[in-house]
Amino acid sequence: MTWTKVLAADALASEGRQVVKVGTRKILLVNHESQVYAVDNTCPHLKMPMKNGKITEGGAIVCPIHRSAFDLRTGEVQDWCPWPPVVGTILSKISQSKTLSVFPVRVEEGSIWIDLEE
């Protein structure tokens, strides 16, 4: 694993989120229920930012555009686009199997570290 220090731990408030840039990637850090998660800030389906997506009680982030929910721990789709049938038909052409990229996180020495190796 290759760990990269991305943010001071105290810069990410409880239930807060912050986008950090590592190389060319934009990574969304989410502090949910005292656990820090790191996910790609880009929806794998529509390529739009995830930063403003709702965080559910079950630990998922909801795409603010098409409202599909992704598990913060695994990136798996938990709920696929709950829109009306007309819009759902259009979105069904998008692969539902695409997961949100998630990255290992550790918090130590007052900093948040992530591993971008895949």
Side-chain angles (χ1 to χ4, degrees), residues 7-82:
L7 191 69
D10 60 4
L12 186 61
S14 177
E15 300 307 316
R17 50 186 100 179
Q18 174 91 23
V19 175
V20 295
K21 192 167 183 184
V22 182
T24 59
R25 296 186 93 149
K26 291 182 180 176
I27 307 299
L28 175 61
L29 300 174
V30 177
N31 186 346
H32 178 64
E33 296 181 347
S34 300
Q35 177 70 41
V36 177
Y37 301 95
V39 300
D40 195 328
N41 188 46
T42 305
C43 172
H45 301 110
L46 298 179
K47 308 301 181 205
M48 300 299 286
M50 296 291 290
K51 181 180 181 188
N52 294 321
K54 175 185 169 189
I55 306 296
T56 69
E57 287 183 24
I61 185 166
V62 179
C63 175
I65 307 301
H66 67 90
R67 300 190 309 209
S68 292
F70 299 89
D71 188 295
L72 283 170
R73 293 168 290 279
T74 66
E76 297 291 321
V77 176
Q78 283 187 342
D79 186 24
W80 176 251
C81 188

Side-chain angles (χ1 to χ4, degrees), residues 85-117:
V86 173
V87 178
T89 300
I90 294 167
L91 288 175
S92 69
K93 297 184 185 325
I94 300 171
S95 174
Q96 295 178 33
S97 64
K98 290 183 181 178
T99 61
L100 183 64
S101 295
V102 298
F103 306 98
V105 176
R106 71 179 199 211
V107 180
E108 67 179 39
E109 300 173 3
S111 297
I112 298 171
W113 302 71
I114 62 173
D115 177 26
L116 293 180
E117 299 288 320

